[in-house]
Amino acid sequence: MKAKILLLEDDLSLSETIVDFLEENNFEVLSAYDGESASDMIYENKFDIFLLDVNVPLLNGFELLKQKRDEGVQTPAIYITSLDSIDSLETAYHSGCDDYIRKPFVLKELLFRIESILKRSFFHEQNPRITLDKNLEYDIKSNLLFVNSELVKLNIKESALLKLFLQAKDEVLSHERIHETLWTYEETPSENALRTYIKNLRKIIGKEKIVSIKKLGYRFSL
């Protein structure tokens, strides 16, 4: 499953250039050209990373990210901006960003920064494959599951659920948090569907790895 990126950039030419480059590198990208549109997109979608210009109409990038951090949104964020003062840098990090890249920049550098943050925020692992069992591996770059080096087919929501479990290993994940991850704003969450996804994952990775916590949710452990 492709990592999903929100790009907030009001320079249409630069926005198109970044979108084309990231899509060529197997990312899904949604574009916004002002802060309020970006805020609406964040409300309606689940993103893996934000790329935020600062000086944009209606709501600037600093204000947008601070607002989202105050609302509990923890999605990693990179600012892409021409601002270069130490005060701007301080404001950027105080607003909750994970990285900061100054314009003009080389697209490959942006790609390296995105990949670095996604790996770090996901597992803090250098090896792209995580061993779940002696014959079971998960590739953190492609979000694919392998059994005995053979690809296991998961549907989109099963893959998203497994990714969430791996990100929150040993945590009790509430039904609400799982719903927010698996279903978009326009979809209606289904407990029956969730139980089916859990059942299918247990068949592949082992029943004992996903424990149902009565009235609370689920916990994944290795």
Side-chain angles (χ1 to χ4, degrees):
M1 189 168 61
K2 296 180 180 180
K4 191 172 185 177
I5 296 175
L6 169 67
L7 172 63
L8 171 59
E9 171 57 67
D10 65 337
D11 182 322
L12 299 186
S13 177
L14 179 57
S15 176
E16 290 177 0
T17 298
I18 294 173
V19 170
D20 289 345
F21 175 76
L22 293 177
E23 288 181 343
E24 287 172 1
N25 283 277
N26 205 36
F27 291 98
E28 178 183 354
V29 187
L30 296 186
S31 299
Y33 306 104
D34 65 75
E36 289 187 359
S37 297
S39 181
D40 290 341
M41 287 182 179
I42 292 170
Y43 183 67
E44 296 171 1
N45 297 270
K46 181 73 175 179
F47 292 100
D48 295 285
I49 195 165
F50 302 147
L51 301 180
L52 307 175
D53 189 9
V54 175
N55 290 327
V56 294
L58 302 182
L59 184 69
N60 73 45
F62 289 155
E63 293 168 343
L64 171 65
L65 186 58
K66 186 177 186 307
Q67 180 186 98
K68 293 306 170 184
R69 291 290 186 252
D70 289 343
E71 293 171 1
V73 176
Q74 297 302 315
T75 304
I78 300 174
Y79 283 124
I80 48 176
T81 179
S82 56
L83 299 175
D84 59 4
S85 71
I86 191 65
D87 289 341
S88 297
L89 186 60
E90 182 179 14
T91 301
Y93 284 106
H94 283 171
S95 68
C97 81
D98 297 85
D99 204 352
Y100 185 106
I101 186 169
R102 293 185 177 92
K103 298 176 182 177
F105 53 84
V106 178
L107 288 171
K108 273 196 171 182
E109 180 184 357
L110 179 63
L111 178 63
F112 295 152
R113 289 173 185 252
I114 290 170
E115 290 179 338
S116 176
I117 283 180
L118 289 178
K119 287 181 187 179
R120 186 169 72 243
S121 64
F122 201 164
F123 297 109
H124 301 272
E125 294 265 357
Q126 296 300 315
N127 191 333
R129 286 201 179 184
I130 301 297
T131 300
L132 308 183
D133 211 330
K134 60 183 179 181
N135 63 341
L136 195 63
E137 292 182 316
Y138 185 82
D139 190 302
I140 65 177
K141 291 192 70 175
S142 62
N143 298 324
L144 297 176
L145 181 66
F146 297 86
V147 176
N148 294 320
S149 298
E150 295 290 328
L151 175 63
V152 178
K153 290 186 178 180
L154 300 174
N155 69 36
I156 292 174
K157 286 185 168 48
E158 288 168 352
S159 181
L161 180 58
L162 178 57
K163 179 178 178 180
L164 177 62
F165 278 140
L166 289 166
Q167 287 175 311
K169 186 164 62 77
D170 296 323
E171 294 181 30
V172 176
L173 292 174
S174 67
H175 292 271
E176 290 76 12
R177 184 173 173 189
I178 295 173
H179 291 169
E180 288 173 359
T181 300
L182 266 60
W183 283 275
T184 67
Y185 174 71
E186 296 178 346
E187 296 176 321
T188 302
S190 167
E191 276 298 319
N192 287 335
L194 176 57
R195 283 193 287 269
T196 299
Y197 303 147
I198 294 285
K199 181 180 178 181
N200 291 343
L201 287 179
R202 281 173 168 164
K203 286 180 181 178
I204 299 168
I205 67 177
K207 184 177 180 180
E208 73 286 350
K209 289 185 173 64
I210 304 175
V211 178
S212 177
I213 310 297
K214 191 174 182 180
K215 296 184 179 180
L216 293 177
Y218 296 91
R219 183 177 64 230
F220 174 84
S221 301
L222 292 178

